[in-house]
Amino acid sequence: MDRLTLTNQLENYRTPYEEEADFVKDFIELTTDPLAYKRERLEGHFTASAWIVNEKRTHTLLTLHKKLGRWLQLGGHADGLENLIEVAKKEAEEESGLKSLKLVDENIFDLDKHIIPQRPHVPEHFHYDVRYLFEADINEPLVMSDESISLAWITFDSVVDMIGYNPSILRMLEKTSKSEILL
């Protein structure tokens, strides 16, 4: 995947979720910026995430993020790499130790534009997160990275109880449930 492929996928991306549809145009505009894939673009930049589910579509793998203190999907900064599928997979492997990760579809699974709070030496900025659907073996041992407080397979039925209300996570959960019929 390269910048042109991502631009084409974004231009053809359709979603019934209004909150997601509202910022597709922002993603497309960002692809024209030479710094779009680098943290040095202080107002915001691309990140990539892996929405990881088990083969039976009963669990998702989430991390309790150390810096943000919230349960999230695995992912991170592109750091100059334009192939966001590779970024999502690399970050997921680093944050979980999983070797069984399998990309379900090369098309974008979900998009989310969210604000990252200011920290020392880093101003408040946006992450333009492009997400891909991955499967992994739920029985494979997990290896938690230093970026996490915890790492766990969570049943779909208990996600809301575990993480609270997070529209982005709930949207991916709903998409996963709907995609069961298609897979």
Side-chain angles (χ1 to χ4, degrees):
M1 169 183 284
D2 58 18
R3 190 179 295 248
L4 181 59
T5 304
L6 177 62
T7 302
N8 288 336
Q9 283 190 355
L10 289 166
E11 288 172 345
N12 293 308
Y13 188 71
R14 301 294 176 262
T15 178
Y17 300 90
E18 186 176 332
E19 70 273 14
E20 189 181 18
D22 285 346
F23 45 68
V24 171
K25 184 177 91 140
D26 297 341
F27 279 71
I28 294 168
E29 288 175 9
L30 184 58
T31 62
T32 65
D33 190 319
L35 294 177
Y37 297 85
K38 297 183 179 188
R39 296 181 204 217
E40 290 79 18
R41 187 178 186 281
L42 297 179
E43 57 272 19
H45 41 261
F46 281 121
T47 57
S49 292
W51 177 248
I52 304 170
V53 297
N54 64 325
E55 185 179 350
K56 293 184 179 179
R57 304 290 195 275
T58 57
H59 292 72
T60 184
L61 182 63
L62 297 178
T63 181
L64 182 53
H65 195 277
K66 191 179 280 185
K67 288 181 183 172
L68 298 174
R70 295 174 36 205
W71 285 97
L72 301 169
Q73 73 286 347
L74 286 67
H77 288 93
D79 289 331
L81 183 61
E82 291 187 10
N83 186 329
L84 295 182
I85 292 172
E86 284 183 22
V87 172
K89 186 172 185 186
K90 177 181 78 74
E91 291 289 332
E93 287 172 345
E94 289 174 1
E95 294 175 10
S96 70
L98 289 172
K99 302 295 181 214
S100 64
L101 283 172
K102 182 180 100 179
L103 181 66
V104 173
D105 188 348
E106 290 189 4
N107 290 307
I108 296 167
F109 179 68
D110 190 76
L111 296 171
D112 194 60
K113 179 182 172 184
H114 52 270
I115 197 82
I116 299 298
Q118 179 177 349
R119 293 189 314 275
H121 311 294
V122 180
E124 179 180 84
H125 62 280
F126 283 103
H127 278 179
Y128 294 79
D129 199 33
V130 181
R131 293 142 174 205
Y132 298 92
L133 180 62
F134 285 84
E135 271 183 12
D137 181 355
I138 195 169
N139 296 310
E140 183 179 345
L142 298 172
V143 179
M144 190 170 62
S145 77
D146 61 357
E147 295 180 29
S148 299
I149 297 169
S150 185
L151 183 66
W153 284 101
I154 301 170
T155 64
F156 286 0
D157 292 344
S158 60
V159 167
V160 174
D161 293 336
M162 182 87 165
I163 70 164
Y165 181 72
N166 179 326
S168 170
I169 297 283
L170 297 179
R171 185 178 63 238
M172 289 188 291
L173 188 62
E174 187 175 319
K175 285 180 179 184
T176 306
S177 298
K178 287 180 179 180
S179 72
E180 282 181 32
I181 300 164
L182 304 172
L183 300 174

